[in-house]
Amino acid sequence: MLYGILAATSALLLAAVLTAVLRTAALRLGIVDRRWRRPVPLSGGVAVVAATCGVAFVGDWRGVTPLGPDVGRLLLAGAGVALLGLVADVRRVKARFLVGGTAVAAACVVPYEETGVLAGMLAVGWIVFVALGFKALDHADGLAGTVGVVTAFGAGACAAAEVMDGLAVLLSVLAAALTGFLMHNWHPARAGLGACGALFTGFVLASAAVTTRAGQELGSSAGVLSALTAVVSADVLFVVLARGLSGRPLLRAAPDHLAHRLRRLGLTAQGVAVVLGAAAFGGVLVAVLVHLGWIAATGALWVAGGALLVVLALLRVKCGSPQRPVSTQVRAPLRVRNG
């Protein structure tokens, strides 16, 4: 217990410090994302990955909380996915590069002896889906980090219930690292996760959830997994429907996410992160209660139904990004460059 608190505190502080330290390097190297015409350095991803892997490795090395071969393989595969994401942050790569690499990593961590081959293949597809879904969430300040923290606590509770101590500690460390990153990512964001951190977060969370549900009834497991990632799934579904109905290419960037439509309704950037974070907490709570057997598996259907209703309702909101004046701090450097 004491080590868990110490590990989480160390991960939080390490991620916060590394995000700030690497921020300057990311700006100089041009590893940035542009939000409202302001460059957001993508230093948070490397910081979260380094803090999570470093603290987990030290705990395993010292023998305080042995990860075990399965969790160690999961963490190693997650680091590989993070490396793919870092390549995507540094240079433009095709989507199939990320999909293929993440799928290979997922195929290495699924416990086929417990899931079976067919369910294992479905699990691989779901892990890839969640990892890419978290990458898509990183378009808004504070959103991916908030949803990631909530989901990590839920998945960690499921792992603890199955007495998977190593996995539970890893998820608590990830939650702490994301919290440290959020110190710099809350609006107005001074750093972003980037593909490196977002893919790593989604991959570790999805793989951990699959591990905790391995060997249990397929329908119930599907409900728990979908409730754990209800916001991610709803956001992906919203993007697919919005771009499909309007005839826009699926992979072309556009203001077609849940956060964009909530902004059109008048919510602030902070409000969007809080609302979607609360929605994620609701889904995670149901998932944990179903996993523990405290409520029926059909409870997950209510989460799915609610998410679908929200998606359909927000599709009626006019497309586009909310209008707001550009601050003088942003315009000044733009004027210099254009002059």
Side-chain angles (χ1 to χ4, degrees):
M1 182 66 174
L2 180 60
Y3 173 77
I5 297 174
L6 179 61
T9 303
S10 301
L12 187 153
L13 295 176
L14 185 59
V17 171
L18 283 177
T19 300
V21 170
L22 296 174
R23 183 176 182 276
T24 301
L27 282 172
R28 289 180 177 175
L29 294 173
I31 308 175
V32 299
D33 182 22
R34 291 198 171 273
R35 300 176 186 175
W36 295 106
R37 298 183 182 179
R38 57 184 171 85
V40 177
L42 302 179
S43 60
V46 174
V48 168
V49 174
T52 303
C53 294
V55 172
F57 172 76
V58 169
D60 183 65
W61 173 54
R62 299 294 297 177
V64 182
T65 51
L67 297 179
D70 293 338
V71 180
R73 184 168 60 250
L74 187 157
L75 190 59
L76 183 61
V81 170
L83 183 59
L84 290 177
L86 183 60
V87 173
D89 288 333
V90 173
R91 57 183 302 175
R92 186 181 297 274
V93 298
K94 295 185 180 297
R96 61 173 175 266
F97 172 77
L98 296 179
V99 173
T102 306
V104 170
C108 295
V109 301
V110 171
Y112 298 100
E113 65 278 2
E114 298 181 59
T115 63
V117 177
L118 179 58
M121 293 175 63
L122 293 175
V124 169
W126 186 78
I127 292 171
V128 174
F129 171 81
V130 173
L132 294 177
F134 265 94
K135 178 179 180 296
L137 281 185
D138 193 42
H139 68 277
D141 295 353
L143 183 53
T146 300
V147 174
V149 169
V150 172
T151 309
F153 277 121
C158 294
E162 299 297 323
V163 200
M164 297 178 175
D165 295 337
L167 189 58
V169 169
L170 173 61
L171 291 167
S172 67
V173 168
L174 175 60
L178 288 171
T179 302
F181 157 72
L182 276 172
M183 295 179 180
H184 303 276
N185 187 242
W186 203 249
H187 184 77
R190 300 183 301 280
L193 269 181
C196 174
L199 287 175
F200 174 81
T201 299
F203 179 87
V204 171
L205 292 176
S207 300
V210 166
T211 301
T212 60
R213 293 297 303 179
Q216 302 194 39
E217 197 270 325
L218 184 58
S220 174
S221 294
V224 170
L225 296 180
S226 62
L228 269 175
T229 56
V231 169
V232 174
S233 301
D235 189 63
V236 173
L237 175 62
F238 186 86
V239 169
V240 171
L241 290 177
R243 294 179 184 176
L245 292 174
S246 61
R248 291 192 297 274
L250 181 61
L251 299 180
R252 179 175 297 175
D256 293 325
H257 292 269
L258 294 175
H260 295 127
R261 300 302 172 93
L262 290 174
R263 291 296 304 274
R264 293 294 297 179
L265 292 176
L267 269 69
T268 62
Q270 300 94 322
V272 168
V274 171
V275 167
L276 292 180
F281 175 78
V284 166
L285 179 60
V286 171
V288 172
L289 293 178
V290 172
H291 180 80
L292 295 175
W294 292 1
I295 64 174
T298 53
L301 296 177
W302 290 97
V303 175
L308 181 59
L309 287 177
V310 169
V311 167
L312 295 177
L314 290 179
L315 281 173
R316 300 178 63 85
V317 178
K318 186 177 179 181
C319 181
S321 56
Q323 299 296 321
R324 77 172 192 179
V326 179
S327 68
T328 55
Q329 289 182 337
V330 174
R331 281 186 177 177
L334 288 177
R335 232 184 260 127
V336 172
R337 283 199 297 268
N338 292 336

